[in-house]
């Protein structure tokens, strides 16, 4: 994150907000910010408040469309004059697909702007806060800053590191198995958990699996049991073994499907897949001869993939954890035992030397989903 600008007395007080009303309104703006699918832009919410009442709300619905503050100001109309605008992210002060939001705020004659967090984008001149102050607008910063930064965490990683934000999903039994001794894995978890997974897919730009999962399960990886569009489907397939008759290839003309292989993979196999609508991306190999995960992620980010959900299998999950590139974990735990001769655990990697070294969810959320448990949260690597 870039250093925050110099602050005045009002801003200094807002770092430890004493105004409960500001906190309440900002949290309402954060609720708005979770709406829409603005990728590759950030999630942003805005609220216009006047005389203790909401007169306009807005969120950034899609890239290229009006930004959150513009939507909230438009909803408020003339009531925006003299009002307070709550915005979860510092307003932009540059021309992109839309004009600077600072201009719209100044033109609306808003008296005060309350900001959740500053803009972390190093490629943008920024200066939204300074621009507003220079125009005589009172600015209060860093109200609910941690929540505001969490809202833009995927986009923040994307613009500062050039990598997608990775959510790792695991489905396993109580004894840590992902399939029975015969290899059967449908279904370890119940229908409610599977519906939750479909809802998670719809929240991501892309969903990825390894070739082992593609061969064993022949999945579709589409969104069917929840509202939302299907994400781009990605297969990590070092040697291009994905069968042309697989459901992923057969539906590639309807849902974008990308296969990542290494430089030595068969050109004939590539031609077969591309003729059926699959896009083949080549990435360098790791020391173990697999696809270099970090290089593959950079390829995806270059194609505007901000959020990536990794669903399987064990080797791919292990590669992401070993590389410390998984940002968030979603584990679905079924109340069943598949036995010691069941397939190996959900993650295939060397693992930590001690429990203290283990990656973990610092503040996990536990929820019952049907008969299964869903535990999730950002990962911490000691």
């Amino acid at each position: 994150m870039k250093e925050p600008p110099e602050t005045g007395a009002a801003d200094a007080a807002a770092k430890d907000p004493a105004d409960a009303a500001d906190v309440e309104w900002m949290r309402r703006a954060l609720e708005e910010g979770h709406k829409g699918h603005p990728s590759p832009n950030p999630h942003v919410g805005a609220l216009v408040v006047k005389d203790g009442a909401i007169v306009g709300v807005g969120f950034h619905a899609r890239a290229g469309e009006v930004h959150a503050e513009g939507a909230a100001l438009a909803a408020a109309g003339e009531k925006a004059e003299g009002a307070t605008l709550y915005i979860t992210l510092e307003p932009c002060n540059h021309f992109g697909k839309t004009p600077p939001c600072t201009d719209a705020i100044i033109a609306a004659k808003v008296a005060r702007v309350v900001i959740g967090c500053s803009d972390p984008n190093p490629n943008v001149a920024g200066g939204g806060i300074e621009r507003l102050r220079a125009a005589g607008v009172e600015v209060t910063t860093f109200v609910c800053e941690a929540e505001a930064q969490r809202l833009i965490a995927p986009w923040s990683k994307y613009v500062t590191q050039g990598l997608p934000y990775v959510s790792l999903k695991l489905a396993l039994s109580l004894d840590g198995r992902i399939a029975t001794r015969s290899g059967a894995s449908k279904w370890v978890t119940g229908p409610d958990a599977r519906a939750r997974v479909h809802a998670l897919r719809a929240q991501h730009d892309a969903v990825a699996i390894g070739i082992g999962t593609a061969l064993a399960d022949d999945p579709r990886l589409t969104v069917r049991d929840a509202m939302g569009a299907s994400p781009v489907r990605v297969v990590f397939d070092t040697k291009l073994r994905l069968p042309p008759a697989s459901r992923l290839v057969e539906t590639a003309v309807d849902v974008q499907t990308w296969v990542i292989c290494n430089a030595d993979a068969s050109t004939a196999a590539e031609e077969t897949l591309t003729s059926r609508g699959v896009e083949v991306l080549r990435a360098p190999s790791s020391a173990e001869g697999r696809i270099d995960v970090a290089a593959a992620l950079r390829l995806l980010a270059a194609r505007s993939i901000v959020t990536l959900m990794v669903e399987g299998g064990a080797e791919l999950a292990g590669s992401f954890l070993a590389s410390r590139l998984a940002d968030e974990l979603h584990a679905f735990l079924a109340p069943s035992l598949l036995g010691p001769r069941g397939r190996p655990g959900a993650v295939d990697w060397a693992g930590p030397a001690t429990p203290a070294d283990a990656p973990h969810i610092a503040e996990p959320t536990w929820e019952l989903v049907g008969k299964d448990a869903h535990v999730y949260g950002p990962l911490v690597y000691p």
Side-chain angles (χ1 to χ4, degrees), residues 142-167:
F142 314 127
V143 174
C144 301
E145 185 179 20
E147 295 106 308
Q149 288 178 342
R150 176 67 188 140
L151 179 64
I152 64 165
W155 178 75
S156 183
K157 181 185 179 184
Y158 173 75
V159 298
T160 59
Q161 300 180 41
L163 297 171
Y165 184 91
V166 177
S167 299

Side-chain angles (χ1 to χ4, degrees), residues 193-209:
R194 296 197 295 274
R196 175 71 65 89
V197 170
H198 282 226
L200 287 171
R201 285 179 188 169
Q203 296 171 12
H204 288 75
D205 297 327
V207 56
I209 58 171

Side-chain angles (χ1 to χ4, degrees), residues 162 258 260 281-284 294-305:
W258 303 345
I260 303 178
L281 311 176
R282 293 182 181 265
L297 290 181
R298 285 191 289 271
L299 286 175
L300 296 178
R303 286 163 171 76
S304 298
I305 300 299

